């Protein structure tokens, strides 16, 4: 939906924060008086999938290259080419009909290390590391996204990468449609015939189509997907992002009512401690139960950089998960984690919290990306992502996780990362939003921005929660008008009851 906020950040750094919830950053910071696109990573992948499919964007691999990173690289999945020349790195966004300069440019810091790895600084983003991985192969990683991407050396950029793309509305439409056709994984699950969408709307576009008319068409094309990771942006005041039916963004008034309801149901005399500009909050409740609220996995500091987010999160976690709360006679008997108003952010921050909740490693989820422009069923090989225990105090007791429709993106991958924990957490509330992928940020020939998901986050049995969201084991209303008008919080109350009772018979809901 359109939103009166001053506009989202379209840079690479915040690609995990859905455009739909840009306003949540300002709305869900829990105050003290409440006493709150770009490259993603893939594993080893279907390295021949794009070539076998006859994908025109795929250049022919060269034969031998040694460990040098100099040259042109094709990324498995993501429709991306990458060039490294001297100290410079840059990306190109490609489809079968287009090649546009990407949003990511980097400058190598220093010289390659002994293994040939190069680290590139990127304006307004985290550094990119590119590492040789055998003959004509390399891997690309970034700190603020889980996993890695596989790169394959190719001869050269396609000729069209050197040409200025036409800005004609028909060319804009075609690039938009083609990018979704080659990368969006969920047309079949959402019962959308994308070819029929093109047949319906393409005849309406001419060289005289106005910007307003073109924007209206692009919006109508993706609106039926009901996907919070789909978006098209003309400027700060004109943009659209999808959403699941029933999604209602909080307002300052509703957020204040929510905070009052939570406070009233935590118990008398409970005091808060907050970090991360209010996006992290903790309280000790009666009966040795802890309450930990996380409303964002980004923007923890005024500077807004990922390194600062990590440092601030660690500061909070060190204060919450102390030796006294995790071991001994005063240790917590249960922990409530509240992500009902979590607008997303960086997945690794969620894994960082999960690492404080286990004393042994386990599978968080597996991640894969669509990897064949012609076949929506072809993906990169799933890359397992692990939760690894923190080297310090960890809490291993019962957990209740509160979720709802505004548990979105990284809030959902965090929730999913806890399902393999032992003992398994009990999820209470409502289904999450149902969007997990990094947002694949793209630019149109006329300079507009748009985004879409192209990945799946899988359970051990290969299931994905995209669309439907992660369901609760214990359904409970979440922030309904009826609840808020009487300052009730049924999900929180139920979590306290179950933890006090030892959560008998409800923990086995790993999804």
């Amino acid at each position: 939906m359109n939103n009166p906020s001053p506009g989202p950040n379209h840079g690479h750094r915040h690609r995990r924060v859905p455009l739909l919830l840009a306003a949540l950053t300002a709305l869900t910071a829990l105050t003290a008086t409440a006493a709150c696109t770009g490259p993603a990573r893939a594993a080893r992948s279907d390295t021949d999938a794009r070539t076998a499919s006859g994908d025109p964007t795929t250049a022919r691999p060269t034969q031998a290259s040694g460990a040098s990173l100099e040259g042109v690289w094709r990324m498995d999945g993501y429709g991306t080419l990458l060039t490294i020349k001297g100290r410079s790195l840059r990306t190109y966004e490609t489809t079968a009909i287009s090649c546009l300069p990407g949003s990511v440019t980097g400058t190598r810091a220093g010289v390659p290390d002994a293994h040939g790895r190069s680290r590139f600084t990127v304006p307004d983003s985290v550094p990119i590391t590119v590492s040789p991985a055998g003959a004509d192969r390399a891997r690309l990683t970034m700190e603020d996204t889980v996993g890695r991407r596989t790169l394959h050396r190719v001869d050269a950029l396609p000729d069209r990468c050197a040409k200025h793309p036409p800005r004609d509305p028909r060319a804009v439409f075609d690039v938009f449609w083609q990018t979704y056709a080659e990368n969006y994984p969920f047309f079949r699950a959402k019962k959308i015939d994308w070819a029929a969408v093109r047949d319906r709307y393409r005849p309406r576009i001419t060289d005289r189509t106005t910007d307003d008319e073109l924007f209206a068409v692009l919006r109508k094309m993706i609106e039926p997907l009901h996907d919070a990771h789909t978006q098209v942006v003309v400027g700060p005041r004109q943009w659209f992002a999808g959403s699941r039916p029933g999604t209602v963004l909080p307002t300052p008034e509703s957020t204040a009512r929510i905070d009052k309801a939570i406070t009233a149901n935590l118990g008398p005399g409970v005091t808060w401690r907050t970090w991360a500009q209010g996006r992290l909050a903790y309280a000790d409740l009666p009966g040795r139960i802890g309450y930990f609220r996380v409303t964002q996995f980004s923007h923890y500091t005024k500077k807004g950089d990922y390194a600062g987010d990590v440092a601030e999160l660690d500061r909070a976690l060190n204060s919450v998960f102390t030796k006294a709360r995790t071991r001994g006679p005063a240790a917590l008997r249960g922990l409530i984690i509240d992500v009902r108003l979590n607008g997303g952010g960086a997945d690794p921050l969620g894994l960082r919290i999960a690492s404080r909740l286990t004393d042994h490693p386990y599978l968080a989820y597996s991640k894969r990306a669509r990897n064949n422009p012609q076949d929506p069923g072809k993906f990169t090989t799933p890359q397992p992502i692990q939760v690894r225990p923190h080297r310090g105090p960890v809490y291993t007791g019962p957990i209740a996780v509160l979720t709802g429709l505004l548990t979105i993106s990284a809030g959902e991958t965090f929730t999913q990362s806890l399902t393999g924990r032992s003992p398994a957490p009990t999820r209470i509330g409502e289904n999450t939003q149902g969007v997990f992928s990094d947002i694949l940020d793209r630019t149109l020939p006329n300079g507009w921005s748009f985004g879409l998901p192209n990945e799946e986050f899988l359970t051990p049995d290969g299931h994905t929660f995209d669309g439907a969201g992660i369901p609760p084991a214990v359904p409970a209303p979440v922030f309904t008008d009826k609840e808020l008008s009487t300052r009730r919080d049924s999900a929180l109350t139920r979590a306290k009851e179950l933890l006090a009772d030892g959560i008998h018979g409800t923990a086995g809901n790993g999804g």
Side-chain angles (χ1 to χ4, degrees), residues 265-266 281-283 285 289-294 332 334-340 395 398-402 428 491-497 499:
N265 286 272
L266 288 179
Y282 179 81
L285 310 186
I289 294 174
Y291 173 82
F292 186 40
R293 189 186 193 197
V294 185
L332 295 176
L335 176 66
I336 300 169
I337 301 177
D338 190 347
V339 288
R340 289 175 294 178
Y395 172 76
I399 292 176
V401 181
L402 308 185
I428 302 172
L492 175 56
T493 299
R494 187 65 175 136
K496 291 168 59 181
E497 293 171 348
L499 287 170

Side-chain angles (χ1 to χ4, degrees), residues 210-231:
T210 68
D211 283 353
D212 285 345
E213 291 169 340
L214 181 58
F215 173 77
V217 167
L218 300 185
R219 171 176 177 160
K220 289 177 181 177
M221 291 169 67
I222 61 175
E223 195 165 9
L225 297 172
H226 299 299
D227 190 322
H229 279 176
T230 61
Q231 56 196 43

Side-chain angles (χ1 to χ4, degrees), residues 186 363-368 377 379-384 416 419 455-466 510-511:
F186 310 120
L363 179 69
Y365 40 72
S366 294
K367 182 177 179 178
R368 68 181 185 178
F379 288 82
T380 56
T381 300
Q383 180 180 355
Q416 186 171 350
T419 59
E455 303 167 333
E456 291 182 334
F457 283 63
L458 305 176
T459 62
D461 62 359
H463 179 67
T464 174
F465 294 109
D466 282 285

Side-chain angles (χ1 to χ4, degrees), residues 40 90 161 167 241 276 287 326 340 422 440 452:
R90 75 170 306 168
C161 294
R167 297 173 60 90
T326 57
R340 289 175 294 178
S422 180
L440 186 63
L452 65 157

